[in-house]
Amino acid sequence: MNIFTIKLLIVLLILVSWAKAGLAGDWILHTVNILVLISLLSFFKSNEKVSFRFLIILPVVLLCLQFVLSYSNPSYDILKESEWSNLNIERFFTQETDIEKIIMTSEVFQDIKYISQQNPELAHAIFFDFKNRFFDRYPKDKGTVSKLILEYENLIKVNSNLYIPSSALSNKSLYTSFFHKICQVLIGIILFLNIKKRKTVRTIFLVISANIGILAFVGIIQKLNYVPSDNKLEIFGIWDTPEPRYFFSSFTYKNHWCAFALLGFCSSFGLLLDNYRRFGWLFTRKVSSLILFLTLLSILISIPLSGSRSGIFLMLISVTVCLTMIFTFFKIFSLKSLSIFLITFMTGIFLLHNLISKISSDTTKEMTNNFKIQFEDIKKGKPPLRILLWNDLLSQIKGKPIFGYGFNSYRIINPIYQSYEVRKIRRAGIQAAHQKYTPLVGFAHNDWLEKLSEFGIIGLVLACPYLYFIFRIFFKSNSLFAKFLLIGVIVFLLFAFVDFPSQTPACLMMFSTFVGAALKYAILTEKKLAMQLG
């Protein structure tokens, strides 16, 4: 049962990584749910003590309980057909003399009424965004349109209980989305309980690393041969992308590819070093070493080629930390060795930069221009958009710091707290757009703050036991390979401060896998050492 479960989950990880990184459609998410639930049966057959098993999964169970309570306590609702009739929007327009206000408002409310039946979250986000735009344009307006906006807002508000968790909205899709996330997180716990041997962990990560290496290679070929087209499906000719400039390999967003790839970089580096420790210089004759070396090379080329500045920065941090770990572990502290390391490191960066500049000069120019523009804006006192988004989010968190606003609430609640500076920047984008759209912010580009706004301090406390063991094992473990896996985990957590990689299923599942397998590998190593000493 253990081996079958492990194989099933690894095949699932590979499938998800190729299926648009888990965003290929509902079918892949439901596949994950079904296979994870089947694998969860092993939870009840594990050799671990019952108390230990339930202790491991307790934070997830408590988070589910928080969600269930919040689901029964919504802050907003959608209007029923009878409520729309009673609102009688037309009566507000008959008393309004400004035709521009009437056209502007009637179009939005027609969209809201229609969308609210299929996607109530989007309908509410559109309303609050419209309210901002209207009062930005008519700040002192007290006419009938203003009264309509305020009356509609009062109708969709629900008097929720302030002393228990709440959700922004309660509907079936919220349950489904939450269930998807929980299943993606559970994969690491299931692997932790099923892995019995250190060799199993090494085999798992050899397969995972090779898969990431292949994805990196495919992404490189894809990038070098990509020709923009309105009619072309960018990802393997099967799936389109929201923004063609930002996709890489099977991922719709380059930053999320980098977060995923850096996990593969750390596991490949760790396995390669482990081969050296076990076989000495004979490791160069191992097929696995060749696979790992090619994987490392593909990943190191793919990240700068993707055009992700955050990815490049965290890649340099990852390389530095990994090499420092090697120096520390083997106690290489001589000035000569450190000088060789520094020269090699800088030469590597120079060669990689030249390579990327030659094979994809457009990517290098775009990154350089974006950096220059951002730097000039900062000199003029204009902070980057992400900083403004985070400031808005901090204000949002202060509104409900204990329980938060509920799972997936950011898109709905954000317009309420959105600053004028953010609205101004977002609307400037409309002028350059080829088609009309509503400038909504889907994600905060900071998973930590976004999740804090959704689950509050209580949610953060529930995650603390896992975070504690990640850092405790990293600093205390005698296993170098486990440390390398946890470097990938920590880099992923750092990436979550500047982006939202957890929103891509392949990233979240791989992160969970690394945590579960790394912690189990460290525990098995300690047991082995104890047996040798005993």
Side-chain angles (χ1 to χ4, degrees):
M1 181 66 179
N2 290 340
I3 298 300
F4 171 77
T5 300
I6 292 168
K7 287 181 178 179
L8 184 68
L9 293 178
I10 299 310
V11 169
L12 181 61
L13 279 170
I14 294 170
L15 175 63
V16 170
S17 68
W18 285 88
K20 202 179 178 182
L23 299 174
D26 289 341
W27 68 270
I28 188 63
L29 297 174
H30 292 313
T31 301
V32 171
N33 296 346
I34 292 168
L35 295 183
V36 167
L37 288 177
I38 291 171
S39 302
L40 195 58
L41 294 173
S42 64
F43 175 82
F44 302 99
K45 296 184 178 181
S46 173
N47 295 329
E48 303 286 355
K49 291 180 181 179
V50 175
S51 58
F52 180 68
R53 279 181 267 162
F54 280 99
L55 197 61
I56 288 172
I57 205 169
L58 182 61
V60 177
V61 172
L62 292 175
L63 193 66
C64 290
L65 178 61
Q66 182 181 351
F67 171 77
V68 171
L69 288 172
S70 70
Y71 189 85
S72 63
N73 188 35
S75 301
Y76 295 94
D77 202 353
I78 59 171
L79 298 189
K80 300 180 180 66
E81 189 61 41
S82 58
E83 291 173 312
W84 279 107
S85 299
N86 292 335
L87 181 60
N88 190 12
I89 293 175
E90 296 301 324
R91 67 186 167 92
F92 292 93
F93 295 151
T94 56
Q95 301 172 43
E96 179 59 63
T97 57
D98 190 329
I99 189 67
E100 191 174 357
K101 289 181 185 177
I102 295 173
I103 294 171
M104 177 184 181
T105 308
S106 63
E107 286 180 352
V108 170
F109 272 89
Q110 284 175 12
D111 290 342
I112 290 171
K113 184 178 180 181
Y114 174 76
I115 293 170
S116 64
Q117 302 306 312
Q118 288 81 30
N119 192 337
E121 292 89 353
L122 178 59
H124 280 23
I126 289 173
F127 167 71
F128 287 120
D129 176 77
F130 168 71
K131 180 186 173 183
N132 289 337
R133 286 190 289 120
F134 183 87
F135 287 110
D136 283 346
R137 192 167 182 177
Y138 307 104
K140 297 180 180 180
D141 187 87
K142 294 182 180 179
T144 55
V145 172
S146 298
K147 291 176 182 178
L148 167 62
I149 292 170
L150 297 176
E151 186 169 334
Y152 177 80
E153 184 174 8
N154 286 330
L155 287 172
I156 62 174
K157 274 185 179 179
V158 178
N159 291 323
S160 57
N161 190 326
L162 298 176
Y163 300 102
I164 62 172
S166 64
S167 62
L169 274 171
S170 295
N171 53 32
K172 185 180 178 182
S173 65
L174 191 68
Y175 249 123
T176 306
S177 297
F178 184 76
F179 188 62
H180 290 329
K181 289 292 181 194
I182 290 299
C183 286
Q184 291 161 25
V185 168
L186 282 175
I187 190 170
I189 294 175
I190 297 170
L191 283 170
F192 179 91
L193 292 171
N194 279 276
I195 292 169
K196 305 300 177 188
K197 298 179 180 179
R198 299 197 315 157
K199 183 180 178 182
T200 305
V201 178
R202 292 195 295 268
T203 303
I204 287 171
F205 283 104
L206 178 60
V207 174
I208 286 174
S209 299
N211 180 61
I212 295 175
I214 294 169
L215 279 168
F217 179 75
V218 168
I220 292 167
I221 301 301
Q222 191 182 52
K223 182 81 172 181
L224 297 180
N225 293 280
Y226 176 66
V227 178
S229 172
D230 292 335
N231 302 317
K232 189 175 181 179
L233 299 174
E234 291 84 9
I235 299 179
F236 310 143
I238 304 173
W239 301 292
D240 62 351
T241 60
E243 175 52 74
R245 292 182 303 158
Y246 296 148
F247 84 100
F248 191 87
S249 191
S250 60
F251 285 67
T252 57
Y253 190 34
K254 58 188 179 182
N255 281 2
H256 297 181
W257 159 254
C258 291
F260 183 82
L262 286 171
L263 287 169
F265 169 81
C266 292
S267 64
S268 300
F269 209 136
L271 282 171
L272 205 56
L273 183 61
D274 189 71
N275 276 358
Y276 170 73
R277 289 183 63 209
R278 288 189 297 129
F279 305 112
W281 287 107
L282 289 176
F283 91 106
T284 56
R285 299 181 183 180
K286 296 287 181 181
V287 175
S288 61
S289 296
L290 177 61
I291 292 170
L292 293 167
F293 176 77
L294 292 175
T295 294
L296 284 172
L297 187 61
S298 297
I299 290 172
L300 288 172
I301 294 173
S302 74
I303 290 175
L305 190 62
S306 72
S308 168
R309 289 176 293 161
S310 302
I312 293 171
F313 178 70
L314 286 168
M315 181 184 78
L316 294 175
I317 289 178
S318 300
V319 172
T320 303
V321 173
C322 287
L323 291 174
T324 302
M325 287 283 293
I326 293 173
F327 276 41
T328 304
F329 188 82
F330 289 106
K331 299 179 180 179
I332 304 171
F333 299 115
S334 68
L335 183 61
K336 180 181 177 182
S337 298
L338 292 174
S339 299
I340 292 172
F341 158 69
L342 187 61
I343 293 169
T344 304
F345 185 61
M346 297 305 294
T347 303
I349 293 173
F350 176 75
L351 292 174
L352 187 59
H353 177 268
N354 280 354
L355 176 64
I356 301 303
S357 298
K358 285 186 179 296
I359 63 177
S360 184
S361 57
D362 290 342
T363 301
T364 307
K365 287 177 183 176
E366 184 182 359
M367 286 192 292
T368 304
N369 289 337
N370 288 341
F371 177 79
K372 287 179 179 178
I373 291 169
Q374 201 168 70
F375 184 72
E376 289 300 321
D377 284 344
I378 291 171
K379 284 197 337 186
K380 294 175 184 176
K382 297 179 182 178
L385 175 61
R386 291 187 188 191
I387 300 296
L388 296 173
L389 290 175
W390 301 342
N391 285 335
D392 291 349
L393 193 46
L394 288 171
S395 300
Q396 183 174 319
I397 290 167
K398 289 176 185 177
K400 283 190 176 182
I402 305 301
F403 294 116
Y405 296 86
F407 176 69
N408 267 8
S409 61
Y410 176 78
R411 193 179 191 186
I412 300 171
I413 302 299
N414 172 254
I416 300 173
Y417 292 89
Q418 198 174 84
S419 61
Y420 178 74
E421 289 81 6
V422 171
R423 297 200 294 270
K424 187 178 179 182
I425 292 171
R426 296 294 292 171
R427 284 168 202 160
I430 298 177
Q431 299 175 0
H434 298 295
Q435 57 186 15
K436 182 181 177 182
Y437 71 95
T438 303
L440 302 176
V441 179
F443 303 102
H445 290 270
N446 187 320
D447 267 339
W448 287 93
L449 290 180
E450 187 170 328
K451 296 311 171 192
L452 185 58
S453 77
E454 292 182 350
F455 294 102
I457 294 171
I458 297 297
L460 181 62
V461 169
L462 292 177
C464 280
Y466 297 130
L467 294 172
Y468 168 76
F469 282 107
I470 286 170
F471 286 98
R472 183 180 183 278
I473 294 293
F474 179 72
F475 287 109
K476 298 289 186 179
S477 176
N478 291 309
S479 169
L480 188 61
F481 180 52
K483 286 176 180 282
F484 269 85
L485 295 179
L486 290 175
I487 289 171
V489 168
I490 293 168
V491 168
F492 188 96
L493 292 173
L494 289 175
F495 221 130
F497 276 106
V498 294
D499 220 285
F500 49 101
S502 70
Q503 297 295 338
T504 296
C507 288
L508 184 57
M509 291 172 68
M510 193 61 72
F511 170 76
S512 178
T513 297
F514 267 65
V515 173
L519 297 186
K520 191 57 177 279
Y521 193 88
I523 291 170
L524 291 172
T525 299
E526 295 304 320
K527 286 182 178 180
K528 182 181 178 181
L529 290 173
M531 287 176 65
Q532 289 173 348
L533 292 172

